[in-house]
Amino acid sequence: MSESDSGIEMVVAVIRPEKLGAVKQSLAEAGAPSLTVTNVSGRGSQPADKGQWRGEEYTVDLHQKVKIECVVADIPADDVVDAIADAASTGEKGDGKIFVLPVSDAVQIRTGKQGTEAV
């Protein structure tokens, strides 16, 4: 993976909700304790679940996931990716995906710091 021109990158991961605790701990150990977590739902290669309610069959093809966003400048994004992948993996379909995006700039609202100093 290549580093962005600004030296700031965002790692976005969509993982199983039950793996959040392990991923948070793994990120802290890797030196990336700051993150944003959002509850999301979506579908990918994980098969749909079928069920019945009051005699009617239904299909759940949107699975509950957790999206983690972690912006880094002082540690390699590859380290963050490895930390997430190691902690989130079960070896089954539906473990999730990780994306690395360049960040052109960052501004810390409270101090006005900009660029890598804001991260």
Side-chain angles (χ1 to χ4, degrees), residues 15 22-23 35 60 68 75 92:
I15 64 166
V23 169
L35 67 148
V60 177
I68 298 169
I75 65 168
E92 301 292 325

Side-chain angles (χ1 to χ4, degrees), residues 48-60:
D49 292 328
K50 295 189 184 287
Q52 275 196 340
W53 189 70
R54 292 190 177 183
E56 296 290 322
E57 189 173 295
Y58 65 92
T59 300
V60 177

Side-chain angles (χ1 to χ4, degrees), residues 57-73:
E57 189 173 295
Y58 65 92
T59 300
V60 177
D61 62 350
L62 294 177
H63 301 280
Q64 296 304 307
K65 300 291 179 186
V66 172
K67 181 168 75 170
I68 298 169
E69 297 168 306
C70 184
V71 178
V72 294

Side-chain angles (χ1 to χ4, degrees), residues 64-105:
Q64 296 304 307
K65 300 291 179 186
V66 172
K67 181 168 75 170
I68 298 169
E69 297 168 306
C70 184
V71 178
V72 294
D74 53 347
I75 65 168
D78 287 344
D79 292 355
V80 174
V81 169
D82 291 344
I84 294 170
D86 290 346
S89 178
T90 68
E92 301 292 325
K93 284 187 176 185
D95 276 353
K97 301 261 188 314
I98 303 171
F99 307 95
V100 180
L101 308 160
V103 175
S104 62
D105 201 2

